[in-house]
Amino acid sequence: MVNILDGARYLIFLSYGKKRHSLTPLKLQKLLYLAQGWSFVWDNVAAFPEEFSAWQYGPVNEEVYEFFKKYGRSEIPESEGGSKLTDENVADTLKAIWSEYGKMTAYALVELTHKQMPWREAYEQGCKISNSSIRAYFQSTF
């Protein structure tokens, strides 16, 4: 498990690799959420201890939002990236998430997460998306 900001920085680092795709703050949020879900499937633990909120455009971690909101709809610069993570399992999860979902647009990822039960239920109830609901959904679905 790693701090979600460290995970965000690692995804930014990955986005500037050989097969580069744009990474905006909105897209970053969805990738972090997907990494959380897949981490429960692959490793049976959360990638991050932090939770997500159910906002209009999908899952959002408020700490990551506050840190990267200065970029608005623009691409996050390479200087914000970080190439090291203390947890190899999380690093592998983030690499897999970037490889699978990095080519998708932010809005395609919004649509994807809007179809998933953890966001839908939390959005309807006006509450946070609990890690337990992410775990239950991803483990039962994938």
Side-chain angles (χ1 to χ4, degrees), residues 119-139:
W119 177 83
R120 285 198 339 241
E121 287 180 350
Y123 190 72
E124 288 169 6
Q125 297 169 11
C127 63
K128 287 204 182 274
I129 305 170
S130 70
N131 282 331
S132 61
S133 71
I134 296 172
R135 175 195 294 266
Y137 173 77
F138 273 81
Q139 287 183 339

Side-chain angles (χ1 to χ4, degrees), residues 88-103:
E88 245 347 276
N89 288 334
V90 175
D92 289 345
T93 295
L94 292 172
K95 287 175 194 169
I97 293 302
W98 180 252
S99 176
E100 182 65 27
Y101 297 103
K103 57 190 168 272

Side-chain angles (χ1 to χ4, degrees), residues 6-61:
D6 292 337
R9 288 184 187 100
Y10 192 71
L11 277 170
I12 295 162
F13 164 75
L14 294 174
S15 79
Y16 282 90
K18 194 189 297 183
K19 293 183 180 178
R20 188 171 171 267
H21 301 285
S22 178
L23 185 59
T24 62
L26 181 63
K27 184 173 176 177
L28 176 62
Q29 292 283 352
K30 307 317 154 228
L31 294 174
L32 290 167
Y33 165 81
L34 291 166
Q36 186 79 315
W38 282 105
S39 182
F40 284 122
V41 173
W42 295 327
D43 300 317
N44 202 33
V45 295
F48 322 108
E50 296 86 358
E51 290 188 330
F52 292 84
S53 296
W55 287 12
Q56 180 181 0
Y57 294 104
V60 171
N61 173 270

Side-chain angles (χ1 to χ4, degrees), residues 72-91:
R73 294 181 180 165
S74 300
E75 187 169 351
I76 301 169
E78 186 173 10
S79 61
E80 292 284 12
S83 62
K84 302 246 190 281
L85 277 183
T86 56
D87 186 319
E88 245 347 276
N89 288 334
V90 175

